[in-house]
Every structure is written in structure tokens, then in C-alpha cells.
Amino acid sequence: MHVFVTGGTGHSGPYIIPELVAAGHEVTALARSDKAAATVSALGAKVRRGDLDNLCGLKAAAAEADGVIHVAHRQDLLPSGGIDSVAAAERQIMLAYGEALEGTGKPLVVSGSLGSPGWESLGRPATEKDPTLPGGDMYKGTLRVRNVVETTVLGLAERGVRSSVVRIPPIMHSTTDNAGFLPLLMGLAKEKGVIGYPGDGANLWSAVHSRDLASLFRLALEKGPAGKSWHAVGDEGIPFRKIAEAIGGRLGLPAVSIPADVLMLPGYFGFLASLVTLDLSGSTLITRQILGWEPAQPGLLEDLDNGHYFPAG
């Protein structure tokens, strides 16, 4: 299968491209710069120069391919237009893919978020059947964009596109993770001299290794039915306190509770305060049953013990 991939130089793209190539697929990856072109070429992909704001170019690339994996994001619009601008732009990208792939039955697999605003009230792990919900306040802004994108993508199934969404948990870990949630927590811990957790830290968070995530994108591309959401979850629910304690142990810093009555005040978590209190656990039963996905990489706590997040010196 000839696959068009966006986001090839992000956190997940450098794992998705080799996964596809190893499975015998031909990959063409979008590259905005010479540096990006060199990176995706080294990963085994052909290079298509272009930008996410060139909808005609994206449509042409999708039409020429046998399938599309889209993991790029328009975060460049945040400073000038805010979250609504990002949502509007990304929705237009999905609609452009829809025009290119309409009636073909070709796959379109797009990244989403496991952590939809409103899921915190479920009282159970979110399942693949739980719908995306309308967005909310500041922290939920990014998730709101993903909700708009997810809804649009899944709706393309009615237009003859084999579209699906891979929902990614709040923590994606790997040996190359240098800008995700874990490095952010570690940076806060070093700055404050302690690693914090909200209240009793019993709220559950999910996580996935980037290599396992890549294998799920491949499976969704190859055999995922239209109009479905998949959960890329290796660890379905780890208490936030355990994550904090694992980081603190490695950094030689104490893990401490941040009381609920001060959590929302300017202080330890800052703009993350609304996020860290949530229960963001997720079930993978449907994903495993339908796609046969089985995570094979180290879980989050084991990966923290591997040491690559804490280089000597």
C-alpha cells in the first residue's frame, strides 16, 4: 500500500514511518523544510514538499495514495489565532482529505485524544464507543480541537472513506521523548525541588509507548473498519501519585501532595492544574478484539526505570 503520512518528524511520526516500511508499505511523507525532508528520507519515506496550509497539495497527495495517516497539528496558529483558529484549520484539512478520498473506501487514520472533556465524569475507563464531547475551558482547548477533528473524521465514513481515529493517551513515552508530558513534569520538579501530585494522587492516567502506538496506526490503516475510534493504551490506568513517585525517586526529590484548595491557585502546576486532577484511564478491549493489537513495549513505570529519561550528569 502507498501511504501518505503527515507529522513524520514529530514524536509519533518517526515510529510510524519505519513501522509501515517494515510491513512492506511504500511511504510518502510531507516535509516543510530541508531538515524535515532529510529526516523522513532517513526513515525510509519518499519526500513530498509542502505545508499543512496548502489544502490543494494535501488533497493531491491523498488522491495519489492508497491511504493516509495524519498525525500533524496546526499548533503554529495558536499564537495568532488561538485555539478556535487551530480547530477551524484542522477541520478544513479533514474535509480536504474527504474530498480526495470520497467514495474510494481508502483508509484515513487520524490522531485523536484519549481524554475528551466530560469523560472525567464517566466513573469508569473510557471505551472506544464513548463519543467525543463538546470542549470546555483553557486546559481543554487542545482536546477541544481534537474533538472537532475526530467528529469530522468519523463523519467521513458516510461518504465512502474508511476513516478512523486513534485516540492517544496523555502520556506517550519513548527513548526520544523530549517535549511530552513527562519531560514537562520533570522540568517542574527540578524547578520546584519537589514532584507534585493532586490531592491523594489516586486519579488514574493512561500511557502508551511510541512503538506500540505506531503498530496500532498500521493495523488501523490495514484493516480498521470505517467510522471507528481506537484506543492506543498500553497502561490503562496508573495512579498519578505512582507516576510522581517514580519520577521523584529517579530525580532524588520528594513526591508531595498539592491540596485541592490550593491546586487552582498560581503555584506548582500552573496552567496544568485543571488537567492533572482528571481521571484519564481508558479501555482497549474493542481495539484488541477487532484489530488484534497487543502492546509489546515496556510500560510507563518500567520505561522510567530504564533510565533514558534521566541521563547521567
Side-chain angles (χ1 to χ4, degrees):
M1 186 184 298
H2 175 207
V3 188
F4 175 57
V5 175
T6 69
T9 60
H11 188 179
S12 58
Y15 293 88
I16 292 172
I17 292 174
E19 174 76 18
L20 295 172
V21 171
H25 298 294
E26 177 186 348
V27 180
T28 296
L30 186 70
R32 183 173 58 180
S33 65
D34 290 342
K35 181 179 179 181
T39 298
V40 298
S41 180
L43 292 169
K46 295 181 178 179
V47 176
R48 186 182 185 100
R49 294 299 293 264
D51 297 291
L52 290 177
D53 57 2
N54 184 352
L55 297 183
C56 290
L58 295 178
K59 285 169 63 175
E64 294 166 8
D66 300 313
V68 176
I69 291 180
H70 181 91
V71 293
H73 303 304
R74 290 301 312 270
Q75 299 303 311
D76 58 298
L77 295 176
L78 271 175
S80 60
I83 206 69
D84 290 335
S85 245
V86 176
E90 296 205 4
R91 183 173 184 274
Q92 289 305 310
I93 292 172
M94 300 308 121
L95 293 175
Y97 288 142
E99 291 181 22
L101 302 176
E102 185 169 7
T104 65
K106 293 180 180 179
L108 167 65
V109 187
V110 178
S111 61
S113 292
L114 200 160
S116 178
W119 281 357
E120 62 267 25
S121 61
L122 287 175
R124 57 167 172 76
T127 75
E128 296 89 337
K129 290 185 177 181
D130 286 317
T132 57
L133 300 172
D137 56 26
M138 186 189 79
Y139 108 75
K140 297 171 183 172
T142 298
L143 298 181
R144 182 169 75 232
V145 173
R146 303 321 314 156
N147 290 350
V148 170
V149 172
E150 287 188 40
T151 302
T152 303
V153 170
L154 298 180
L156 294 177
E158 298 178 0
R159 296 169 53 186
V161 181
R162 187 159 60 85
S163 58
S164 64
V165 171
V166 173
R167 290 172 173 165
I168 303 174
I171 296 178
M172 176 169 47
H173 55 99
S174 70
T175 57
T176 57
D177 177 19
N178 56 20
F181 189 76
L182 288 179
L184 187 57
L185 278 185
M186 294 170 194
L188 277 174
K190 292 173 183 177
E191 175 188 340
K192 305 293 185 179
V194 297
I195 174 75
Y197 56 86
D200 63 4
N203 57 309
L204 302 178
W205 271 44
S206 53
V208 68
H209 193 286
S210 297
R211 292 191 186 280
D212 287 326
L213 174 67
S215 71
L216 179 51
F217 269 99
R218 176 181 59 80
L219 289 169
L221 177 89
E222 292 173 344
K223 60 181 182 179
K228 300 294 184 182
S229 296
W230 314 110
H231 281 186
V233 177
D235 294 292
E236 295 193 0
I238 304 175
F240 197 102
R241 179 173 180 169
K242 283 192 174 182
I243 299 171
E245 289 173 342
I247 293 172
R250 277 287 183 175
L251 294 177
L253 297 173
V256 301
S257 170
I258 309 297
D261 60 345
V262 300
L263 194 62
M264 302 304 294
L265 300 175
Y268 186 89
F269 285 113
F271 72 95
L272 294 174
S274 298
L275 176 61
V276 298
T277 60
L278 299 183
D279 189 307
L280 298 176
S281 59
S283 168
T284 60
L285 181 61
I286 295 173
T287 299
R288 293 171 187 251
Q289 287 180 340
I290 295 180
L291 298 183
W293 180 65
E294 289 296 335
Q297 300 301 315
L300 172 60
L301 298 181
E302 182 182 353
D303 210 13
L304 286 172
D305 280 341
N306 285 337
H308 56 81
Y309 277 104
F310 311 95

